[in-house]
Amino acid sequence: AAGGATVVVLSVVAPATVAPSAHLASAATAPGERGARVVAAPVPVSTDLAYGTTATHLSVTPDGRGYWIADTSGGVHTFGDAGYFGSAATLPLNGPVIAMTATPDGAGYWLLGSDGGIFSFGDAQFYGSMGGRPLNKPVVGMAAVPGGGGYWEVASDGGIFSFGDAQFYGSMGGHPLNQPIVGMAATPDGRGYWEVASDGGIFSFGDARFYGSMGGHPLNAPIVGMATVPGGGGYWEVAADGGIFSFGDAQFYGSMGGAAPPSPGIVPPANPMVDLSPDPNFLDACYQDAASDACANQEVEATNAARAAEGIGPLQLPTDFAALSPAEQLFVVTDVERVDRGLPPFVGLDATLDSDAAAAAAVNADPSPAPAPPGMSVIAWGGNWAENANALGASYYWLYDDGLGSSNLDCSPASPAGCWGHRDNELGLAGDQASYGGTLVMGAAEDTGPNHGGWASLTELTVLASGPLPPLVYTWAQAVAAGAG
């Protein structure tokens, strides 16, 4: 998404997402997270609390007079002449719903979970799925055969899984990719298909012809899906900023690309549609030695991969990052993630807020600004807590693995309001500042006492406050002077 808007992918295509998976450290119980966000009266609650159920797919009825919208919780919403045949909203999900496909007569549909699970409704038949089976990479999309007698699932590594009448014609599974696969589309006769990657690369199999692609061309935002013309003689690619790219017989009819200056990454109130478990999974290396080069290198590699999925470049940390205190490291990582998305940074760490954060870290709790910095009045604030190895590890889970299926203790199918709350705290308050003024300040802390299961207890307190700014413990200007960017 760009500029706070989420592109909903049409027809047989799927959004640029990756699926959640268990991230237990073999050496210890996996760390946990909690988060809280409060806007003080009389300031209204910000819209970045409206998270947890994001529209993820749109499928059109056969006559074009209606459509269904599926959301990540498995809910199905009908419009026009689209019939309602049930949903997965009340079912236990191993991962969020990421795609849907209607049957040829429009009297049913399939929902696809990020773990490869298929849910069939109406006259849609179940022909099998990858749910409950080991996957090298998460499933990101599906396409149905023209007669509705089968379907394919595609994983982010390009692997194709065929069910029912769907035949296997090859895949990019096991082949090197510049960027992950984000969706697929079938040919009109069902004897081939295309895969599309987030860099715009197109891969053709069976009788699917290659008509060109955006692979190797500069993009303002990553590609999130594709759709084909009815005769199969061309296709469109759609980018996260709404840009459309036409190939073959596909005509260009306009797009949302360039409607507003592109904003890198996903920013509140938008949130990622699915979790991105760390790759590499740094928990084992970091549990053994949180200060080791192996731990730090794996954390940075995983973070850079997650940032790349949002169209953001690698982390640029200050040269003295390893010598900073845990609180300073949390502050720096938070501000780097904000600035790289075009959001205003927190100006610095306040000693009072650091003390508030430290008190919460000692008891595994979300911090709150009590007391507030001397002479300042709190307008809005958010508090995050996590058990993890260090600042980089905590920030990763807060930002990239905070939805359904994650270790976010406040997020579950029964309580989706807590999903992505940590991310909204870390990237939030910009809208509040634009509306009400004030200064963005922060507190952070780490506690390594014996009651944290072998992990560190880390907290950050993000605050928008008015009034004279007290002397700061550490500032963003210092971080920039040391090379942060």
Side-chain angles (χ1 to χ4, degrees), residues 34-464:
R34 282 196 297 269
R37 188 178 192 279
V38 174
V39 180
V43 180
V45 175
S46 171
T47 55
D48 68 357
L49 288 178
Y51 43 68
T53 53
T54 304
T56 184
H57 209 95
L58 182 149
S59 190
V60 181
T61 57
D63 62 7
R65 296 178 179 176
Y67 45 81
W68 299 268
I69 294 177
D71 64 42
T72 51
S73 72
V76 173
H77 312 272
T78 61
F79 302 89
D81 65 357
Y84 179 77
F85 305 106
S87 80
T90 60
L91 301 176
L93 299 174
N94 293 326
V97 167
I98 58 167
M100 78 175 298
T101 297
T103 56
D105 62 2
Y109 40 74
W110 295 275
L111 298 180
L112 174 67
S114 59
D115 65 339
I118 291 282
F119 304 90
S120 305
F121 302 93
D123 66 356
Q125 300 297 307
F126 178 75
Y127 300 105
S129 78
M130 291 305 294
R133 302 186 187 185
L135 292 166
N136 291 329
K137 291 292 181 180
V139 170
V140 295
M142 71 176 295
V145 297
Y151 40 74
W152 298 272
E153 296 182 9
V154 62
S156 64
D157 64 352
I160 291 284
F161 308 97
S162 307
F163 303 94
D165 293 340
Q167 301 296 308
F168 178 77
Y169 298 106
S171 79
M172 290 304 295
H175 297 281
L177 292 166
N178 291 329
Q179 294 294 329
I181 297 297
V182 296
M184 70 176 299
T187 58
D189 61 6
R191 296 179 181 175
Y193 41 75
W194 296 270
E195 297 182 9
V196 60
S198 64
D199 64 350
I202 291 283
F203 307 94
S204 307
F205 302 93
D207 66 357
R209 292 186 56 189
F210 178 76
Y211 298 104
S213 79
M214 290 304 294
H217 297 280
L219 293 166
N220 290 330
I223 297 297
V224 295
M226 70 177 298
T228 63
V229 297
Y235 41 74
W236 297 271
E237 297 182 9
V238 58
D241 64 350
I244 292 287
F245 307 94
S246 307
F247 302 93
D249 292 340
Q251 301 297 307
F252 180 76
Y253 299 105
S255 78
M256 291 303 295
S263 175
I266 302 172
V267 298
N271 280 311
M273 286 182 283
V274 294
D275 301 289
L276 183 53
S277 297
D279 185 12
N281 188 338
F282 50 76
L283 291 179
D284 281 343
C286 292
Y287 186 79
Q288 295 172 30
D289 186 354
S292 67
D293 288 342
C295 171
N297 290 340
Q298 290 184 28
E299 288 174 323
V300 169
E301 182 180 353
T303 301
N304 285 341
R307 286 162 59 91
E310 292 188 29
I312 305 174
L315 281 171
Q316 185 175 332
L317 299 173
T319 56
D320 61 351
F321 183 79
L324 298 178
S325 70
E328 292 166 346
Q329 289 182 345
L330 272 172
F331 169 79
V332 167
V333 174
T334 297
D335 264 2
V336 169
E337 293 282 16
R338 291 176 65 88
V339 169
D340 288 349
R341 289 172 171 82
L343 299 171
F346 293 96
V347 296
L349 286 172
D350 170 74
T352 301
L353 296 180
D354 280 352
S355 296
D356 296 336
V363 294
N364 293 344
D366 295 326
S368 61
M376 301 195 80
S377 298
V378 173
I379 299 172
W381 61 274
N384 286 345
W385 165 83
E387 281 181 344
N388 211 289
N390 51 36
L392 283 168
S395 180
Y396 183 93
Y397 280 94
W398 287 337
L399 284 179
Y400 302 109
D401 196 3
D402 200 44
L404 286 172
S406 72
S407 57
N408 182 347
L409 301 178
D410 293 332
C411 174
S412 69
S415 181
C419 301
W420 300 108
H422 301 92
R423 182 183 176 99
D424 282 354
N425 285 341
E426 190 153 321
L427 300 181
L429 298 179
D432 297 310
Q433 186 183 41
S435 297
Y436 306 107
T439 303
L440 293 170
V441 290
M442 187 173 152
E446 177 189 83
D447 188 273
T448 56
N451 61 328
H452 309 307
W455 298 100
S457 176
L458 299 115
T459 53
E460 68 175 8
L461 186 53
T462 56
V463 174
L464 175 65

